[in-house]
Amino acid sequence: MKTSIARKVLMALSGFFLITFLILHLIINLTSVLSPENYNIASHWMGTNPVIQFAMQPVLIFGVIFHLAMGIYLELKNNNARAVKYAMNKPSANASWVSRNMIYTGIMIFLFLGLHFYDFWIPEIVHKYVHFLPEDSTRYFHELQMKFQDPVRVGLYCVSFVFLGLHLLHGFQSAFQSVGFSHNRYTPLLKKLGNAFAMIMAFGFIFIALFHYVSQL
Ligand code: HEM
């Protein structure tokens, strides 16, 4: 029992960490809409900063994999425990659709990350650490735009961002609950904040993808 609570807390902590990453990622990517020059400056700085490259980046990758692996583990354990109880209790009456389908929305996000890494992260690693190409601080905006010319890819990205929004709709407030935060007045507020956060993330990323697609038509 104790270890399963500890696992839920770790799941929540890795969730908080990924939420922080998402906020930063959205802000940096929004600069690509507002000012290509600033986007290039920010990307160049992040892409060449040794602390970000060799400390933060591995921690982030670990955080993503940990969150997925722990999510699958907790889901499998819950399924075993629920098999008996749910024969009597109708699950749909007890929990919302999003909260019951966190594992599926999570897996969709993970599949998106496969495509996303293929698009951006792998070429970046190959550019810098395999071919050791000379650094051109103005290349980033152009590289970003190239990826948003294909309507199928833009469509896949947008559908994935809907899954991200659904995942956060439950995940944000659930993370606070898992670390033991519960308050008569603030918990309902936190739920509202979570809903707003999920919407901002989903629509924010969709806006960026559509903006680059439409601006190149
Ligand atoms: C339109 C939306 C998005 C754009 C334009 C975008 C753009 C980028 C770019 C350019 C990189 C490469 C950074 C680098 O290594 O130089 C990147 C990396 C990454 N993106 Fe996104 N991204 C978007 C949405 C998302 C979403 C929704 C997620 C999470 C669900 C995500 C997760 C990541 C992760 C984990 C990395 C690897 C970070 C690293 O270590 O460099 N991205 N993204």
Side-chain angles (χ1 to χ4, degrees):
M1 188 63 192
K2 255 190 191 163
T3 51
S4 88
I5 291 174
R7 286 194 185 104
K8 279 201 86 174
V9 170
L10 287 175
M11 187 71 189
L13 293 179
S14 58
F16 282 133
F17 174 65
L18 295 175
I19 283 173
T20 312
F21 164 75
L22 277 177
I23 296 170
L24 285 176
H25 206 49
L26 183 70
I27 292 172
I28 291 175
N29 285 323
L30 273 176
T31 64
S32 72
V33 167
L34 300 170
S35 154
E37 293 77 30
N38 286 343
Y39 175 75
N40 277 334
I41 293 170
S43 301
H44 174 69
W45 185 80
M46 306 252 318
T48 52
N49 185 304
V51 177
I52 291 183
Q53 290 296 299
F54 304 116
M56 310 278 270
Q57 192 160 263
V59 172
L60 175 64
I61 309 279
F62 174 79
V64 171
I65 294 171
F66 179 87
H67 196 73
L68 176 86
M70 191 60 98
I72 292 175
Y73 177 84
L74 287 173
E75 174 73 14
L76 292 176
K77 269 202 100 175
N78 281 346
N79 276 351
N80 288 341
R82 265 195 308 238
V84 186
K85 284 187 214 151
Y86 275 5
M88 295 177 286
N89 296 338
K90 226 174 149 224
S92 56
N94 297 333
S96 69
W97 185 90
V98 263
S99 71
R100 280 183 285 118
N101 289 284
M102 287 300 275
I103 189 72
Y104 301 111
T105 50
I107 287 172
M108 294 311 281
I109 297 167
F110 197 71
L111 291 179
F112 156 76
L113 283 178
L115 172 66
H116 193 49
F117 273 42
Y118 170 80
D119 280 346
F120 291 106
W121 192 73
I122 295 173
E124 191 61 27
I125 295 293
V126 171
H127 181 109
K128 284 189 295 209
Y129 306 119
V130 178
H131 296 317
F132 295 102
L133 293 172
E135 189 45 31
D136 167 12
S137 59
T138 59
R139 70 186 164 88
Y140 299 94
F141 180 72
H142 175 67
E143 286 172 0
L144 179 94
Q145 281 215 308
M146 297 275 285
K147 297 293 171 195
F148 293 100
Q149 288 175 347
D150 173 11
V152 175
R153 182 182 258 101
V154 173
L156 285 175
Y157 267 58
C158 289
V159 170
S160 308
F161 299 152
V162 172
F163 282 114
L164 175 68
L166 291 173
H167 197 75
L168 292 172
L169 219 46
H170 175 72
F172 185 94
Q173 53 108 5
S174 164
F176 284 90
Q177 218 174 312
S178 298
V179 292
F181 183 85
S182 173
H183 188 281
N184 282 350
R185 177 138 43 118
Y186 295 121
T187 297
L189 274 180
L190 218 54
K191 277 192 183 167
K192 286 197 179 125
L193 185 68
N195 293 350
F197 178 73
M199 299 278 202
I200 291 170
M201 287 297 138
F203 288 118
F205 282 120
I206 288 174
F207 169 72
I208 294 168
L210 290 181
F211 176 89
H212 288 300
Y213 177 68
V214 171
S215 67
Q216 295 182 87
L217 286 176

